[in-house]
Amino acid sequence: MAKEIKMEPEDAIDYVRKNVEVGDILEISYNRIYSPGEVLGITEEDPETGEGLTISLQLNGEMLTDVVDIDLKNIVDELIEMRHIHEDEEIVIEFY
């Protein structure tokens, strides 16, 4: 059974930094986009340019299976929901 958490969108960056690992499944819903996939890599913020935390996902859709990079700092205000699956634990995060 999935554990449900509610948090502010800005807290998503800290959650990903502390809890998401390479190989986890991460499903991100933002704006009108749904991006489900396996985490291939996490790139920390660049101290010089200020670019945000970037997640590389191998999409697991039926039509799209590309690798995408999502900069959480760019989409933080548009986050709707995130589902994080790590080993046998499933966490659903709703943003308000």
Side-chain angles (χ1 to χ4, degrees):
M1 180 173 215
K3 179 180 176 183
E4 294 185 12
I5 301 173
K6 292 188 181 210
M7 68 176 64
E8 296 282 336
E10 294 80 22
D11 296 333
I13 294 172
D14 286 332
Y15 176 85
V16 168
R17 187 181 296 121
K18 293 176 183 173
N19 299 294
V20 177
E21 298 175 6
V22 172
D24 289 357
I25 301 297
L26 194 62
E27 301 172 0
I28 303 174
S29 297
Y30 60 100
N31 199 344
R32 293 185 178 138
I33 299 171
Y34 173 66
S35 300
E38 179 182 344
V39 177
L40 297 178
I42 301 171
T43 306
E44 293 289 329
E45 294 91 342
D46 186 323
E48 291 182 23
T49 64
E51 290 180 5
L53 186 72
T54 303
I55 303 169
S56 295
L57 290 178
Q58 171 74 53
L59 297 179
N60 60 8
E62 290 182 23
M63 299 193 59
L64 289 176
T65 58
D66 291 343
V67 174
V68 296
D69 290 332
I70 300 173
D71 184 339
L72 282 181
K73 212 171 199 179
N74 285 342
I75 65 163
V76 73
D77 293 332
E78 299 171 1
L79 283 170
I80 299 167
E81 184 180 279
M82 193 170 10
R83 182 178 304 264
H84 174 216
I85 302 170
H86 175 76
E87 295 176 358
D88 293 333
E89 185 178 28
E90 182 176 351
I91 300 169
V92 176
I93 302 167
E94 296 179 4
F95 300 101
Y96 54 89

